[in-house]
Amino acid sequence: MLSSSKTYSVLPASDLSRAIAWFRDKLELEPEDVSEQGARYRTGGDSWIYIYETANAGTAQNTAMCWLVEDIAAEMAHLRDRGVVFADYDFPGLKTENGVATDDEGKSAWFQDSEGNYLCLTQPNTPM
């Protein structure tokens, strides 16, 4: 049953107002709905992101959400112009060059939002 259900991403924020401002200023995303509990953003198609306030924000050290993009270099350049900083890694199995990791499946780049959540861009080798 779940295989046919839509999904959405949930991101924690220790300061909801700061997170909303960061998503607006850095990612050019405006919330569709804002309440005391959180903010909801619609992205491509039927995808959406929900950001809610919690003291646990930024504690996860894993990728919380990815955007599938067609041109990772162009997306990174645009986001860098807006002040987004991409991470560089050099671990066994993960090495980036200028913020981009390349493997058999495509290219990916990671950055953190204002709350410390790890977000990424992914350009798959196969067309989307």
Side-chain angles (χ1 to χ4, degrees), residues 18-38:
R18 177 180 62 207
I20 289 170
W22 192 89
F23 270 68
R24 180 192 61 238
D25 298 344
K26 304 297 184 190
L27 305 183
E28 300 177 284
L29 294 174
E30 290 291 338
E32 190 170 281
D33 298 307
V34 178
S35 70
E36 252 183 53
Q37 290 76 38

Side-chain angles (χ1 to χ4, degrees), residues 87-102:
D88 274 310
Y89 298 106
D90 191 359
F91 303 124
L94 178 64
K95 181 169 176 52
T96 57
E97 289 185 36
N98 196 27
V100 178
T102 303

Side-chain angles (χ1 to χ4, degrees), residues 35-95:
S35 70
E36 252 183 53
Q37 290 76 38
R40 186 168 57 112
Y41 296 82
R42 184 154 311 275
T43 58
D46 288 330
S47 301
W48 52 286
I49 304 163
Y50 182 72
I51 301 174
Y52 71 102
E53 194 162 284
T54 176
N56 297 324
T59 59
Q61 298 300 302
N62 58 286
T63 304
M65 183 179 67
C66 289
W67 278 272
L68 294 172
V69 298
E70 292 183 14
D71 186 344
I72 197 168
E75 294 289 347
M76 289 176 72
H78 182 75
L79 292 174
R80 282 181 169 139
D81 286 347
R82 301 190 66 77
V84 173
V85 176
F86 287 87
D88 274 310
Y89 298 106
D90 191 359
F91 303 124
L94 178 64
K95 181 169 176 52

Side-chain angles (χ1 to χ4, degrees), residues 8-26:
Y8 65 95
S9 298
V10 178
L11 297 174
S14 57
D15 183 324
L16 184 60
S17 295
R18 177 180 62 207
I20 289 170
W22 192 89
F23 270 68
R24 180 192 61 238
D25 298 344
K26 304 297 184 190

